[in-house]
Amino acid sequence: QVQLVQSGAEVKKPEASVKVSCEASGYTLSDHYLHWMRQAPGQGLEWMGWINPDSGGTNYAQRFQGRVTMTRDTSINTAYVELSSLKFDDTAVYYCAREVNFGPGKGMDVWGQGTTVTVSS
Amino acid sequence: EIVLTQSPGTLSLSPEERATLSCRASQSLSTTYVAWYQQKPGQAPRLLMYGTSSRATGIPDRFSGSGSGTDFTLTISRLEPEDSAVYYCHQYASAPNTFGLGTRLEIK
């Protein structure tokens, strides 16, 4: 079945970087835009950006500009998000999600299980 | 950045009742670019509605969406215990994509 499987939990120190992977199965990664969101403990969803896995083109939320990099490796159907210069408030669950254009609208119909990133000294 | 304001923050209703969840945008949105998600504790969000009023695959017809301009609504009729969750509206009409802060629905 169609699914996105993310890498495991990470614990990082402030100012370090973290790279989270998202492997697509049951479909070809290149066929759909992939979005990254995060959710701090007890908080709502925050959109970080998207990658077009076909072209490699990206669009990042302004607040992450300069700190986030989204990439993909189509040979292994996997996308990545890397966040640098980590701060304590980057502690969150990070999600990848597939975007589908249904015609009358778009939506993120398949989500990864989430990756917990903890920033701690 | 378009701000989405969801109300109420928390809604507590009994089974079989109807829930009405509101999402107000700071700017007018095309109905094409509004979606709703359901999130249960410890789980990833789940797509409920796209294009304001179209149900995603597998979503029961108890869920319906409506709205235009700056006001959008998710209605859940005949509530069931499994509907207990946080519901988020989402817009992608204008970068950056934004989500509302969510409405927590509790089933008594």
Side-chain angles (χ1 to χ4, degrees):
Chain A
Q1 77 276 27
V2 174
Q3 59 178 344
L4 294 168
V5 179
Q6 298 182 223
S7 48
E10 302 266 11
V11 180
K12 295 291 183 180
K13 293 192 183 303
E15 297 309 314
S17 297
V18 67
K19 190 171 186 177
V20 177
S21 68
C22 172
E23 180 181 0
S25 63
Y27 82 99
T28 301
L29 184 72
S30 297
D31 287 348
H32 297 275
Y33 280 40
L34 195 84
H35 294 247
W36 288 92
M37 276 70 55
R38 73 179 188 179
Q39 187 169 37
Q43 303 301 308
L45 296 163
E46 180 176 28
W47 180 79
M48 299 178 68
W50 55 248
I51 182 168
N52 175 349
D54 187 35
S55 67
T58 55
N59 180 15
Y60 303 143
Q62 179 99 20
R63 65 165 293 177
F64 296 106
Q65 290 278 359
R67 279 210 306 145
V68 70
T69 306
M70 295 178 188
T71 56
R72 90 292 189 218
D73 183 342
T74 56
S75 70
I76 56 171
N77 237 30
T78 300
Y80 305 89
V81 64
E82 184 169 18
L83 191 62
S84 62
S85 302
L86 289 169
K87 311 177 187 59
F88 293 116
D89 64 3
D90 290 318
T91 293
V93 177
Y94 289 72
Y95 291 104
C96 60
R98 178 181 87 159
E99 176 191 293
V100 172
N101 188 340
F102 296 101
K106 295 189 287 188
M108 292 178 278
D109 72 330
V110 178
W111 291 64
Q113 82 277 19
T115 296
T116 299
V117 175
T118 303
V119 182
S120 173
S121 55
Chain B
E1 174 175 317
I2 294 178
V3 176
L4 299 179
T5 302
Q6 291 190 242
S7 61
T10 301
L11 194 53
S12 184
L13 295 168
S14 298
E16 297 298 315
E17 288 192 301
R18 173 192 299 256
T20 302
L21 287 65
S22 172
C23 176
R24 177 161 290 178
S26 59
Q27 300 174 35
S28 184
L29 301 173
S30 166
T31 57
T32 302
Y33 301 114
V34 175
W36 289 88
Y37 295 86
Q38 175 194 65
Q39 188 178 33
K40 297 182 179 181
Q43 296 184 16
R46 174 194 184 195
L47 177 65
L48 293 177
M49 313 293 299
Y50 59 88
T52 295
S53 59
S54 296
R55 276 185 300 277
T57 302
I59 303 303
D61 59 9
R62 300 185 295 105
F63 290 83
S64 62
S66 63
S68 64
T70 60
D71 292 309
F72 297 85
T73 300
L74 176 69
T75 301
I76 312 170
S77 60
R78 304 185 307 278
L79 285 167
E80 298 184 2
E82 68 195 42
D83 298 331
S84 181
V86 179
Y87 293 83
Y88 294 96
C89 58
H90 172 231
Q91 71 80 23
Y92 47 93
S94 171
N97 285 198
T98 50
F99 291 88
L101 293 180
T103 290
R104 181 177 304 277
L105 175 61
E106 299 172 348
I107 309 301
K108 297 175 188 173

